[in-house]
Amino acid sequence: MGNADPSVLVIDDDPEFRDSVARLLRTVGLATHQFASVSAFLEADPTPDGPACLLVDVRMPGRSGLELQRELATANNQLPIIFITAHGDIPMTVQAMKGGAV
């Protein structure tokens, strides 16, 4: 992992948002991998070659970002998670942070 390029794994059901974030991250030299859902992310089983983090929407059709966080914790997968949402509240924030989210 030492010399591998960092990447951000973007999971959001809004394709325009995913594309915008990917373009922005590329301007600072970060590779991105985009997924339209938690299921698509898990089916792809992306194993980063280097440092990576997840940028995950909290509320999506199907499994939520918080459900993904629990699944990764159960699997002892310690990828850092940054949650994004347009519909956040304090209990959701507390739950995410207690689970280790930034």
Side-chain angles (χ1 to χ4, degrees), residues 70-86:
R70 285 190 295 274
E71 287 181 44
L72 293 175
T74 299
N76 200 28
N77 185 326
Q78 299 181 11
L79 274 173
I81 300 173
I82 301 168
F83 281 112
I84 52 174
T85 185

Side-chain angles (χ1 to χ4, degrees), residues 10 14-26 34:
V10 181
D14 182 337
E16 291 175 0
F17 177 80
R18 285 193 315 269
D19 290 342
S20 293
V21 168
R23 279 192 308 273
L24 176 64
L25 293 170
R26 280 193 301 271
Q34 300 178 47

Side-chain angles (χ1 to χ4, degrees), residues 25-70:
L25 293 170
R26 280 193 301 271
T27 68
V28 294
L30 293 170
T32 62
H33 304 279
Q34 300 178 47
F35 304 93
S37 67
V38 169
S39 295
F41 167 76
L42 293 172
E43 289 169 11
D45 188 30
T47 304
D49 293 332
C53 73
L54 295 170
L55 180 63
V56 183
D57 191 359
V58 173
R59 294 187 179 162
M60 292 178 281
R63 287 188 265 189
S64 73
L66 293 172
E67 288 173 297
L68 173 62
Q69 181 187 38
R70 285 190 295 274

Side-chain angles (χ1 to χ4, degrees), residues 82-96:
I82 301 168
F83 281 112
I84 52 174
T85 185
H87 308 286
D89 57 31
I90 302 240
M92 179 190 305
T93 303
V94 170
Q95 181 181 356

